[in-house]
Amino acid sequence: MVGPSIRIKPAGESSKASTVDGGETSHRLIGFLLSQPQSTMNRLYQKPSSCLSIFRLLQPLERQVVMNLLWLETPIPGATMAAWVTREGKRPYQEALSTLQSLHILPQQSTRPGPPQSVKHNLNPTFKASLRQAITGGGTSGSFGILAENDDKHPAPDIEALDAFALERWETILYYMVSSGTGQFPAKPSQGVLYLLQRSGLMATVHGATLQITSAGFQFLLHPPHEQLWELLLQYLQMAEERQMDLVEVLSFLLMLSTTELGKVGIHTIQFIAQVTQALPHAQSYSTENLSATQKAMLEDLRDYGLIRQRTATSRKFSPTRLATTLTSSSPPLPTSAGTGDGSHVQGFIVLETNYRLYAYTDNPLQIAVLNLFVTLKYRFPNLVVGQITRDSVKKALANGITADQIISYLITHAHPQMRKNKPLLPVTVQDQIRLWELERNRVKSQEGYLYTAFASHADYEWVLDYAKKLGVVLWENPSKRCFFGSVEGHMNIRGYIERRSAGNA
Amino acid sequence: MDKPSHLSVIVDLSPTQWAFCAQSTAPPGLPLQTFLSQLLAFLNAHIACKDENTLAVFGAFPGQSVMLYSSTGEAMTSTTEATDPNTYRPFKTLDSTVMSSIAERFNSYDVTEEEEPIGLVGCLTKALCYINRTISVVSASAQGTEGATRSIDPRILVLSVSPDQSSTYIPIMNSIFSAQKLKVTIDVCKVFGADNVFLQQAAHLTGGAYVQIERTDALLQYMMMSFLPPPAIRQLISVPTQDRVDFRAACFCHKRIVEIGFVCSVCLSIFCQPVPVCSTCRTKFPIKTLQRLNASRPLATTPSTPGTPRPLTQKNGAALPRPG
C-alpha cells in the first residue's frame, strides 16, 4: 500500500544566493584557511609575507584586534580588550575573536567554563613574530621575493607587455569556456588549465571527449575577475593536496606573489642586494633561486593562468603580472578589457535603454560572447554591438543556471559612464522584467517525496494522514481519492507507522 | 565598511622641544630617534591594513612645513633604493623616504638662528589641501565604478610636542572648519608637553581622538589602539576622546588666550578688552556699551596681567607665521 512514486530532482540548487556584495563577506581564501589544521597554519605563519597577506584579507575589525595585540609582550585580559568595544560592536567583536581563533591567529581558548574575565588574549607567537617582522622589516626570511639581476640581453618586460600577457592568458581561458559547445574552436588553454576547469565543475565532459561549460561555469563568467581568479586558485589549492604538493609551500608562494611589485627592476641574489642599482621603467623580475621544488613546479601552472610571465620555460627569472600583485587588494586585477584601450573602456561599455535594447561599445570577443549568453545580438559594428534583451534570451540564460541578479549585477558593473548619470542606473522596467522572467520560471516548485495511495478504508487513510500531519510532512492531500503526498524526511516514520498498524490489525 | 582610508600624519619636529623631550625625566623622556622608529612602524601598519590605503606625511619644522612622503609619490626624492627581500617594498620606500627627507631638513637647519615658531598650521593646511585634491580625484574616477562606495575615509593625525602658539588661533580654527566641511577627522597625539588647547578643540570639533601620552615607552601601543582604526571601525571599537575640552579662544587683538572675551556682535571677532571699533569689520560700538562692559570686567583680566591662568603664550608669538 505504500509506493514511492514521484521523484523530482530538488530544485533551486543552482540558484544558491551568490554573495556579490563586496566587503561584508569574508574573503574566499579565509574560508579555505579556516578548514586547515593548526600545524599547517603555523607553518604558513612562519613567513612574514604570508602573514601580511592573510592579515590584509581579514575583516577590518579583525585587523584592528590583531593590531591591538601585536605589540603587547604579555597577554591582555579579555575584559580590558572588551572595554574598548562599544555596545553596537559587541557582536561583531565576538565574531572577530572567534574567526581569529579558527585561523589560529589567537590560540584556541580552552572550553572549560569560567568567568569571561579570566580569558587572556595573546597572539599566536609564530604569527606575532612574523607580522612584526613584516611591518618593521629586517630578518633573513627573504620572503618578499628575491629580485632578479638586471640583464641587458633580456630586459624585463615592461608593464604594458605584462598586462597584455595577463589579459591574453585570462581571456583565452574565459573565451574557451564561453564558446565551448557553440561549434567554434577558439585557442585552447593548456592541459593544466583544462583539467582545473573540469575539476572545479566549471566545465564537464559530455559525449566522451568534448568539454562543455556547466551552469556553474556560466555563473562563473559573470563574476568579477577578482572572484574568478580566487575561485580557480582555491581549486588549485585543493588539487595541490592530491598532487602531493606541499600546501604550505603553494600557499606561501601565492601569498608572496601578492606582495610583489609591478614596475621595478631589481637584482639577482643576496650578495647583490647591498649594491645599489639603477632603476629603469621596466617591470619587476624576481629570481627563481631559493624557490622550493614545489614552487618551481607551480611556475608553469601560474604561467598558464597568466599570473606570472617567464621569458622561456627554463628561465631563472619570472615577472608577476597584475593578476598576481593584486591578489590581496581590491584594485582591478586586469587592465582594460578592450582592444582599443582608450580610457572609456576602463569604466564600462554597456548602454541599456528602457526598450530593452542594449548597446555595447566593444570589439572584444570575450565580452561579446558573454553578452551573447543573455542578449539576442542583432548588429555588429567595428566598435559596437547592438542587441535586445528578450524573454527568450533571458530564459536561455536562466536555463543555463544564470540568475537574474547575476545578469543585473553584470550590467551594473559594466555600465557605460553615460549610464552612470541615470538614477537608478539601469531602467527599472528592464530590471523588473528580468526578475519577473526568473519568477516565471520558478512558478513551479518541486519537492522530493512519496505518494501514499490505495488505502483500504477511509479510516485507515485518516489514521495515517493524522499521523503524518502531526509530523508536519504532508505536502498535498486529496481525501476523495484517498491519497496524500509526504516529504522524504517523513517517509521512514510513516512507513513504520503503517507497518505497525497493519501488523496490529492482523 | 571595508573601504580604503587615507591618513595624513603631521609630525611636529621642533628641535628645541624634542631636545626637552629627550632630556625630560619626570615622565621618562623619549629621544627623537626612538619616536621616529615607532612612528614608522605605525605608518607601515596603516599601509599594511589595506593595499589601497593611502598615506601622506608632513613635517612641521620651525617656520616651515614640508611634505615628507605621499603614497601618490609627489614628495619622492630620487632615493637610491636598496632592495631587500626581507622587507615589503612599499614599507621600505616609505621608511627611507621619510627618514632621508627629515635628515635633509635637519642638516640644512641653521643652529645659530633664532628658532622660528613651528609650522604646524602650514602642515594642517597642506594636509587639508592634499585631502581635498585626493577626494576630488577619487570621486571623479569613482563615477565609473560603484559611485559613493569608493570614497575614501580621510583623517589627519597630529603628533605634537610644541606648546600652543596663540598667534595661530585664527588659522587653526579656519582649518578646523574646513576639516569639518570635508568630513575629515583630526586625531591629536600629544607626545610631550602640556595639553594643547587649540588641538584639543580640533579633535573635539571633528570627532577625533585626543591622547596625552603618559608613558612614552608605550607610544606605539597608544598609536595602534587609538589612531589606527579608520572612522568606520570607531563605531565598533571606541577611541579615547576627552571629557573636558578647554574651549578657550585667543583674542584677535593681542593673540592671547582669554577666559572672558568680548565678541563683536556683527562679525564675532573676539577681543580681550572692550574696544570702541571692531578691528575686523570696522563696526563702531556705542560708548555707553563700552562703559558698561568696562565696569563689569573682573579686575584680574586687566591688560597688564597675562590673560590666562597658564603661561601658554610665546613671547615671539605676535607675528603670524606664513604657511609654506
Side-chain angles (χ1 to χ4, degrees), chain A residues 319-465:
Chain A
S319 316
T321 68
R322 209 181 286 273
L323 281 174
T325 54
T326 55
L327 272 177
T328 53
S329 81
S330 54
S331 45
L334 283 174
T336 96
S337 304
T340 47
D342 61 78
S344 68
H345 286 280
V346 191
Q347 312 270 325
F349 57 95
I350 294 174
V351 177
L352 180 64
E353 291 183 339
T354 47
N355 58 4
Y356 300 89
R357 195 169 270 258
L358 183 142
Y359 302 88
Y361 288 89
T362 179
D363 55 358
N364 182 304
L366 172 66
Q367 287 173 340
I368 295 171
V370 169
L371 279 178
N372 198 22
L373 293 177
F374 59 90
V375 180
T376 311
L377 296 178
K378 289 233 163 92
Y379 321 113
R380 181 153 179 195
F381 300 103
N383 68 337
L384 173 71
V385 189
V386 183
Q388 186 106 12
I389 294 184
T390 62
R391 183 164 179 270
D392 287 338
S393 70
V394 172
K395 295 219 98 166
K396 188 182 80 191
L398 295 173
N400 280 330
I402 299 172
T403 66
D405 282 334
Q406 284 172 336
I407 295 179
I408 291 169
S409 80
Y410 182 85
L411 289 173
I412 289 176
T413 33
H414 293 97
H416 195 276
Q418 286 290 332
M419 295 274 289
R420 306 266 161 204
K421 290 173 189 153
N422 302 346
K423 260 194 173 65
L425 203 142
L426 295 182
V428 183
T429 47
V430 183
Q431 273 191 58
D432 286 352
Q433 188 60 65
I434 295 177
R435 291 224 165 85
L436 284 175
W437 280 326
E438 186 184 39
L439 286 179
E440 217 173 85
R441 215 176 103 82
N442 296 342
R443 236 176 355 193
V444 179
K445 212 167 105 185
S446 62
Q447 253 175 316
E448 210 167 341
Y450 292 87
L451 182 68
Y452 304 88
T453 55
F455 289 94
S457 68
H458 199 74
D460 272 349
Y461 171 70
E462 291 284 328
W463 273 103
V464 180
L465 185 62

Side-chain angles (χ1 to χ4, degrees), chain B residues 5 12 32 40 62 70 74 79 84 102-103 106 118 125 130 138 156 168 176 179 199 214 217 251 253 274 277 293:
Chain B
S5 65
D12 184 343
L32 183 59
L40 289 180
S70 83
E74 282 163 53
T79 45
D84 177 1
I102 289 179
F106 274 137
I118 195 84
T125 327
Y130 181 80
V138 167
I156 296 178
T168 59
I176 294 174
L199 292 179
E214 282 152 18
D217 51 341
C251 69
C253 44
V277 178
L293 287 175

Side-chain angles (χ1 to χ4, degrees), chain A residues 291-311:
Chain A
L291 291 181
S292 70
T294 312
Q295 291 170 340
K296 276 180 184 153
M298 281 177 71
L299 287 177
E300 188 191 343
D301 298 321
L302 296 180
R303 207 170 55 222
D304 289 338
Y305 309 150
L307 262 73
I308 56 168
R309 180 181 165 153
Q310 277 178 299
R311 199 176 45 79

